[in-house]
Amino acid sequence: MLRFDVPLVWSNVIRWEAFINHVVCWIALLLWPWALALLVIQGFVRGFIGHHRCPLHLVWKRLFEASGRAGKKENAGAKMFANKILFIASSVALVLFALGSPLWQIPCIALIVFSFLEWAFSFCAACWVYGAWYQRFPPKGA
């Protein structure tokens, strides 16, 4: 179900955040896996509380609005779902790393791929799944 109880988000701000996620995943994969903790926090705040409550999102939003490059407004519900997936995948990767398993690299690489698709092509795989799910299984009363 699309959420209309949270403010819309700017498309280019979301793409910029995806670029940052992409860079953080590369840092985690190549240099310092504990950098995934940043994505855990960001995914939790943006996914469960909302973009409008994320301090870093508000900074990017203000900067992009001031420069006139914010893009178009998008429904935040699908983006919140994508950030829930970010939270889960980065949490799994971080826990696997902490346990000494090399499998932590799999969710990290998946995040690299999907964050690249978002920032480079504005294709959000989680948003696509979100929309497809609610087309196939509409909520009761809709």
Side-chain angles (χ1 to χ4, degrees):
M1 168 168 71
L2 293 176
R3 294 200 48 186
F4 296 102
D5 60 331
V6 292
L8 298 173
V9 292
W10 291 106
S11 60
N12 287 342
V13 175
I14 297 300
R15 290 177 80 180
W16 176 251
E17 291 170 348
F19 174 74
I20 292 171
N21 293 346
H22 186 78
V23 170
V24 169
C25 285
W26 274 113
I27 290 169
L29 189 63
L30 299 175
L31 301 172
W32 192 56
W34 292 108
L36 289 168
L38 175 64
L39 299 184
V40 171
I41 294 166
Q42 291 296 326
F44 180 81
V45 172
R46 293 180 189 147
F48 294 96
I49 300 170
H51 291 81
H52 63 289
R53 300 267 191 227
C54 175
L56 196 53
H57 178 81
L58 296 175
V59 168
W60 300 131
K61 177 183 165 188
R62 196 166 296 131
L63 290 173
F64 276 73
E65 286 175 336
S67 69
R69 298 175 188 246
K72 60 185 175 69
K73 291 273 192 165
E74 297 179 343
N75 184 283
K79 300 302 181 184
M80 288 179 72
F81 176 74
N83 275 282
K84 289 173 185 167
I85 301 299
L86 172 68
F87 170 74
I88 292 167
S90 56
S91 295
V92 167
L94 198 59
V95 167
L96 287 171
F97 173 75
L99 294 174
S101 173
L103 294 177
W104 72 270
Q105 296 172 345
I106 294 171
C108 188
I109 291 170
L111 289 173
I112 287 172
V113 170
F114 291 121
S115 63
F116 174 78
L117 290 173
E118 173 67 31
W119 74 261
F121 304 112
S122 197
F123 175 74
C124 175
C127 300
W128 182 85
V129 169
Y130 181 86
W133 176 266
Y134 283 106
Q135 280 184 344
R136 179 74 175 103
F137 304 104
K140 304 278 190 251

